[in-house]
Amino acid sequence: MLVSAVAKVCEAQTVVVADIDRGRLDFAVRNGFADAYYHIHPRQHTNEKEAVQVAYETAAAILKSNSTTANAGFDVTFECTGAPSSTQAGIYATRAGGRVVLVGMGSPVYTIPVSAAALREVDLVGSFRYAHTYPQCIEIVMRQEGRLPDLSKLITHTFDGLDSVQEAFRMAAKSRDDDGRLVLKVMVRSTGEGGRMGARHALHFLHMTPRANLAAVFSPDDKELAWAARELEPYGVTLYRDYDEMIKHAGLEAVCVATATTVHAEQSLKAIAADLHVLCEKPISTSVEISTSVIEAAKRRPHLKFLCGFSRRFDASYRDAHDRVAREDVGRACVVRSQTGDRTRPDGYFVGYSKASGGIFVDANIHDIDLALWFLGEGCTVKSCYAIGITALHPEMKQWGDVDNGMGVIEFWNGKMAYVYSTRTFPHGQHDQTEIIGTSGKITVNAQPQANLVEIAQNDGLHREIPQTYYDRFREAFVTEANEFTAACLTGASLPFGIDTAIEALRIGEALQQSLQSGQVVRFDQGGKRLEGTKANL
């Protein structure tokens, strides 16, 4: 795939790939790595003479399948497997005076048709000198975006941390994983990426928020600090290992809390006490009581801005939908049906993540709950909650009282309702979708997800790519959030929404999580207070 991508960048007129795996070939053409392909069907042979004959016939079939090469052959053939049969076929498929570049290296000794190469002056070229190639590769990626296929699509499986290296190598040796999905490139990712969201927020404020100056960052983790030393410190950002020391940084005006959920509340309270504005990733805490204490502390300092990061409220499509609901384009909104669909991860990431996340309804569906409150009216008071769920792919989640697929129904006292669904098992990518049903119509956000405006029509149907992660889908929303938070801190302008909604969304998420575990409906009175006798037996 990488060779094909480079050929594209070098403006090859036609790139044809051949492989025994039909899935890899389909992927190559569908994602712009090749213009055409030939599916090789392996044939048995009993001796070297038969093997060379099979290679000759394979090359002839490849040439015949493509009109531009049928008579002359390929100008350049890249052999990327190291298999003797592939090198043999490559020589036969190359035009007189052409080149065969040996990229793969398999057996150290094997038979090749020297006469076929010599008589037609086909050069065999090695590719095992890497001097100066890395700068060239970086230059290609940076400056040839228009012609370069999306290389990130080659990474089909990701593993976190060095402890997963052996498992990653086992996966890389496969052509398909246990779920039948194509395996191309496997990446082992450092766990020290600034706590994932912490790193992203830091980069947003540093590079994409003109009115903000990223002054300091904190992490107790050596790997995260090493990442920050590479990516942030060169821009004058001060690194701290102690959070209490960081919030004393001279001239600091605001903090973004994007650490582990378990310390969101503690760090937010310390920032408020230090008279700093706060942008806190959701949830403030997995406990309603603790979250309430943070909100009350923020309210006692009304000159400070406190924002809980419900990122979808900053997404352009959701804002458009909300404007239409406010205008009653579909009548009076009465039902919201919303889902958060994460792409499954074969490395077991979600199992470990669920231990401290508060559960799928508190962690994932809290976004959908917040949207329901937003679209149905901030004055909605919850009446009842009921949830069910299963562990379709990750039974280990049961030990934390969590599921990888959950459904919840929320009833409000004003006669409205919401249905939320969340999953950690989508094979195709990130698919977050919301429907707002009104008395005279319906508004849908992201019913047909797509990564961009490209659509490919082939004989097996229409294809398009979709975002692969939550961040892929809502990156621009996070950037908007950073800019609007900064503007509010500088000008004193109101934030797009109040802080009380964070408590209500968590209250409902917690009730759904408890209903999931108890199998009982959780009920509330008209003041939003939970009725006795409906508590889950945990």
Side-chain angles (χ1 to χ4, degrees):
M1 298 290 180
L2 288 174
V3 169
S4 299
V6 173
K8 285 280 188 178
V9 171
C10 294
E11 299 184 340
Q13 180 179 355
T14 304
V15 177
V16 180
V17 292
D19 201 291
I20 61 174
D21 189 323
R22 177 65 178 269
R24 295 169 65 89
L25 296 169
D26 288 337
F27 178 94
V29 174
R30 186 169 64 248
N31 291 285
F33 289 86
D35 302 300
Y37 69 72
Y38 180 83
H39 183 203
I40 298 174
H41 300 279
R43 293 166 54 185
Q44 298 296 321
H45 53 80
T46 58
N47 54 56
E48 288 294 337
K49 183 177 180 180
E50 287 184 7
V52 173
Q53 181 61 30
V54 168
Y56 175 83
E57 293 173 1
T58 299
I62 294 172
L63 295 176
K64 185 178 180 181
S65 69
N66 190 279
S67 59
T68 61
T69 61
N71 297 320
F74 293 98
D75 296 308
V76 182
T77 301
F78 293 89
E79 198 297 298
C80 303
T81 70
S85 59
S86 294
T87 303
Q88 295 159 1
I91 292 172
Y92 286 124
T94 304
R95 68 167 176 82
R99 285 188 172 190
V100 176
V101 182
L102 303 179
V103 179
M105 178 57 73
S107 174
V109 179
Y110 53 80
T111 301
I112 61 171
V114 174
S115 60
L119 291 174
R120 295 184 299 116
E121 297 183 352
V122 173
D123 294 333
L124 300 183
V125 182
S127 62
F128 295 93
R129 295 293 180 269
Y130 300 108
H132 311 303
T133 56
Y134 283 94
Q136 287 180 308
C137 291
I138 294 171
E139 183 75 6
I140 287 173
V141 172
M142 290 179 61
R143 302 190 182 280
Q144 303 292 333
E145 294 180 354
R147 291 172 286 172
L148 185 69
D150 185 355
L151 299 182
S152 66
K153 294 178 181 178
L154 293 176
I155 302 173
T156 55
H157 295 73
T158 303
F159 294 81
D160 285 325
L162 295 179
D163 292 340
S164 66
V165 167
Q166 290 186 346
E167 186 180 0
F169 270 106
R170 286 193 291 269
M171 179 63 73
K174 302 177 180 179
S175 59
R176 300 273 171 174
D177 63 18
D178 293 340
D179 296 319
R181 292 186 298 120
L182 185 67
V183 178
L184 291 175
K185 299 292 183 182
V186 178
M187 180 176 73
V188 178
R189 181 172 55 192
S190 167
T191 56
E193 295 182 358
R196 194 171 61 155
M197 281 312 305
R200 291 166 178 166
H201 279 295
L203 293 174
H204 295 164
F205 281 107
L206 180 63
H207 297 302
M208 304 176 197
T209 311
R211 302 184 71 183
N213 173 44
L214 184 65
V217 296
F218 147 80
S219 176
D221 185 89
D222 289 338
K223 292 180 180 179
E224 293 178 1
L225 287 173
W227 176 88
R230 294 192 308 271
E231 303 295 334
L232 307 179
E233 197 171 31
Y235 294 91
V237 180
T238 303
L239 312 186
Y240 289 90
R241 189 180 294 274
D242 187 301
Y243 179 80
D244 293 344
E245 291 300 315
M246 186 200 72
I247 59 177
K248 297 176 185 176
H249 186 88
L252 195 65
E253 297 177 82
V255 297
C256 175
V257 177
T259 46
T261 300
T262 51
V263 294
H264 281 182
E266 175 190 353
Q267 292 177 351
S268 294
L269 286 170
K270 288 181 176 180
I272 293 169
D275 211 40
L276 299 171
H277 304 289
V278 178
L279 165 56
C280 180
E281 262 298 329
K282 63 83 199 164
I284 300 171
S285 168
T286 57
S287 162
V288 171
E289 290 73 20
I290 294 175
S291 296
T292 300
S293 70
V294 176
I295 297 301
E296 289 175 348
K299 287 181 176 180
R300 288 194 292 269
R301 300 199 180 206
H303 63 286
L304 293 180
K305 302 298 180 183
F306 187 95
L307 177 64
C308 186
F310 287 108
S311 53
R312 295 186 200 183
R313 292 205 187 205
F314 296 91
D315 177 73
S317 295
Y318 276 106
R319 285 184 163 182
D320 183 18
H322 186 264
D323 290 344
R324 295 176 183 278
V325 169
R327 294 196 304 263
E328 296 192 349
D329 288 358
V330 292
R332 180 175 55 88
C334 51
V335 178
V336 168
R337 181 167 58 187
S338 192
Q339 75 175 35
T340 296
D342 292 325
R343 180 177 179 176
T344 186
R345 290 183 54 166
D347 57 0
Y349 168 82
F350 286 121
V351 176
Y353 179 73
S354 68
K355 181 179 180 180
S357 70
I360 200 166
F361 291 106
V362 171
D363 176 68
N365 274 139
I366 196 168
H367 286 290
D368 304 289
I369 297 166
D370 177 64
L371 289 175
L373 294 171
W374 192 31
F375 286 120
L376 297 179
E378 301 289 353
C380 280
T381 302
V382 61
K383 182 178 181 180
S384 67
C385 296
Y386 179 68
I388 58 174
I390 60 172
T391 51
L393 293 182
H394 306 292
E396 303 90 342
M397 285 184 172
K398 292 179 181 178
Q399 64 185 308
W400 316 124
D402 204 7
V403 295
D404 57 19
N405 281 266
M407 300 179 184
V409 177
I410 308 159
E411 181 186 15
F412 297 100
W413 277 103
N414 60 0
K416 300 179 181 182
M417 63 180 182
Y419 160 80
V420 297
Y421 167 64
S422 54
T423 179
R424 311 289 199 188
T425 63
F426 274 166
H428 55 289
Q430 187 77 25
H431 187 180
D432 304 318
Q433 174 183 345
T434 301
E435 292 178 277
I436 306 98
I437 301 167
T439 53
S440 61
K442 179 179 75 170
I443 297 173
T444 304
V445 179
N446 203 39
Q448 301 294 328
Q450 55 191 69
N452 52 42
L453 299 179
V454 175
E455 189 171 79
I456 303 170
Q458 296 174 302
N459 57 10
D460 58 346
L462 292 174
H463 304 274
R464 66 176 181 275
E465 296 297 321
I466 75 169
Q468 293 301 292
T469 67
Y470 185 88
Y471 183 69
D472 292 340
R473 167 63 181 87
F474 292 105
R475 176 181 177 275
E476 294 305 319
F478 283 112
V479 174
T480 301
E481 176 187 65
N483 279 271
E484 292 190 8
F485 173 72
T486 299
C489 293
L490 292 173
T491 66
S494 298
L495 291 166
F497 53 93
I499 55 180
D500 289 326
T501 184
I503 299 298
E504 190 61 19
L506 178 60
R507 189 193 316 279
I508 294 172
E510 185 181 74
L512 287 170
Q513 201 70 32
Q514 292 172 351
S515 174
L516 171 70
Q517 297 181 22
S518 70
Q520 302 296 315
V521 176
V522 178
R523 303 185 188 278
F524 299 81
D525 65 19
Q526 293 190 40
K529 182 179 179 181
R530 184 164 168 166
L531 296 174
E532 295 298 325
T534 64
K535 291 184 178 181
N537 297 316
L538 306 181

